[in-house]
Amino acid sequence: MYPDIPFWLSIVFVLGGFAVLAWSANAFVDGASVVAKAFGVSPFIIGMVIIGFGTSAPELCVSALSGAYGHSDLSLGNAYGSCVFNIAVILGVAALIKPLVVKPSVVFVSVPALVAIALLSCFLVTQGNGFSRGDGVILLAVFFVLLPLYCWFDQSQKKDESVGAPVERARPTGEASGERAVSLWKAWLLLFLGLVFLVGSSHVLVWGSVDLARRMGVSELLIGLTIIAVGTSLPELASAVVSARKGEHEFVLGNIVGSNFFNTLAVVGLAGTISPFKNISPYLFSRDLPMMVFLSALIAVFGFNFRKPREPKAIGRVAGAFWLLLFAAYMGLMLWQETK
């Protein structure tokens, strides 16, 4: 349990924690990417694992620390709230900037897997005595099985799509790519410092958030679902906006789907394995988890090409606006229920 601190210090802890969290996550991702390339890891693995983990690292640290100190609602609210925010707000904003092209593989494989994982979370969390350490191990096991299978499927899809495609001229080694070169020792330093400050800033952020919830008389679940979930999802939001402007649809969808995989399986699984969750808010069962399942399914509904199912379809601005309105209604319901 965190000791009481002055109100002004709680504000400093929250704002400062967010600022350091954003810097440390970025440093961690940059360092990990350079190290992975130095060891010959494929670009896809870098994008799926390194970048996906990096953008979800804030959620991982915050939820793990919250669970370890007995703040289960804050931990679960952060993880599941980030999933809701990722789909409803980040995909909604990205679709408003430029319609997102969704491939059939996303509709028929990625989204059903995401929905199945969300339903598994519903089943485990609603089983009587909270969320046990065994439940956390189950989620981690699914994560470590699903990740290589997903990587293998994506690689096989890329090979099939490359058959018959025109051959592009290979770039000479050392050709400028517009990115600043980082030496390997600097990359290791960024990796180490990013991890240290990631854990430290998460600790400070959780402390300040718990104190604010106590002073404002609201539940830790509300703080986790709003302030913490939005703050830890800022890396995904920033990357999605930039990618949408550049027309990189696969990166936007892949980042969100991958981040939700990490949040639902690795983040909740690790936090529950470290410290089982007890006394979970009933609103998590009746409101937040169903909302996460519904939003996940909407990706397939909006992205399915009903006229030509085997061809891609664009998620347009109308769908993006609907997502944002749905999130606004969800926030209104949550604030009313948590503060009434």
Side-chain angles (χ1 to χ4, degrees), residues 170-193:
R171 292 185 178 181
T173 304
E175 182 176 336
S177 60
E179 297 180 357
R180 182 168 56 89
V182 178
S183 61
L184 188 57
W185 74 267
K186 287 184 179 180
W188 279 110
L189 182 61
L190 282 175
L191 189 63
F192 174 74
L193 291 178

Side-chain angles (χ1 to χ4, degrees), residues 310-329:
R310 294 186 179 182
E311 294 185 7
K313 180 189 175 183
I315 296 179
R317 292 183 173 88
V318 173
F322 177 78
W323 264 326
L324 292 175
L325 290 174
L326 193 61
F327 182 77

Side-chain angles (χ1 to χ4, degrees), residues 129-140 268-277:
N129 299 323
F131 189 86
S132 67
R133 185 170 282 109
D135 295 332
V137 171
I138 291 175
L139 290 182
L140 289 177
V268 177
L270 180 61
T273 303
I274 293 174
S275 179
F277 301 135

Side-chain angles (χ1 to χ4, degrees), residues 44-299:
F44 170 75
I45 298 301
I46 293 174
M48 176 67 185
V49 180
I50 303 299
I51 305 302
F53 175 79
T55 54
S56 296
E59 288 93 332
L60 181 65
C61 292
V62 170
S63 290
L65 284 172
S66 301
Y69 283 89
H71 302 285
S72 58
D73 280 348
L74 185 64
S75 180
L76 292 174
N78 170 51
Y80 295 134
S82 294
C83 290
V84 171
F85 185 84
N86 285 346
I87 298 174
V89 176
I90 297 180
L91 284 185
V93 170
L96 285 178
I97 294 173
K98 184 175 291 186
L100 300 173
V101 178
V102 183
K103 290 186 176 182
S105 60
V106 174
V107 174
F108 294 113
V109 178
S110 302
V111 173
L114 195 61
V115 172
I117 292 169
L119 290 174
L120 175 62
S121 298
C122 293
F123 175 77
L124 293 177
V125 174
T126 55
Q127 291 303 297
N129 299 323
F131 189 86
S132 67
R133 185 170 282 109
D135 295 332
V137 171
I138 291 175
L139 290 182
L140 289 177
V142 173
F143 171 73
F144 285 113
V145 170
L146 182 64
L147 183 61
L149 286 177
Y150 192 85
C151 293
W152 170 82
F153 172 78
D154 188 87
Q155 290 290 80
S156 64
Q157 287 291 111
K158 289 183 181 299
K159 289 180 180 179
D160 293 340
E161 291 173 0
S162 64
V163 176
V167 179
E168 297 182 358
R169 180 180 64 86
R171 292 185 178 181
T173 304
E175 182 176 336
S177 60
E179 297 180 357
R180 182 168 56 89
V182 178
S183 61
L184 188 57
W185 74 267
K186 287 184 179 180
W188 279 110
L189 182 61
L190 282 175
L191 189 63
F192 174 74
L193 291 178
L195 184 60
V196 170
F197 282 100
L198 198 62
V199 175
S201 59
S202 299
H203 188 80
V204 171
L205 178 58
V206 171
W207 190 351
S209 301
V210 169
D211 192 76
L212 280 180
R214 187 186 301 125
R215 290 178 180 276
M216 296 170 62
V218 298
S219 69
E220 293 180 1
L221 180 63
L222 178 63
I223 297 295
L225 287 166
T226 54
I227 298 175
I228 307 301
V230 172
T232 54
S233 294
L234 291 179
E236 287 94 333
L237 178 60
S239 63
V241 169
V242 174
S243 300
R245 288 178 176 176
K246 295 181 179 180
E248 298 174 352
H249 311 115
E250 288 189 65
F251 185 80
V252 175
L253 289 166
N255 186 25
I256 298 306
V257 172
S259 294
N260 281 17
F261 279 168
F262 277 104
N263 290 338
T264 312
L265 294 175
V267 172
V268 177
L270 180 61
T273 303
I274 293 174
S275 179
F277 301 135
K278 298 179 181 180
N279 301 321
I280 301 174
S281 171
Y283 288 130
L284 195 71
F285 314 137
S286 62
R287 180 193 63 210
D288 306 316
L289 282 172
M291 184 66 171
M292 186 177 69
V293 175
F294 178 64
L295 288 173
S296 300
L298 279 183
I299 301 176

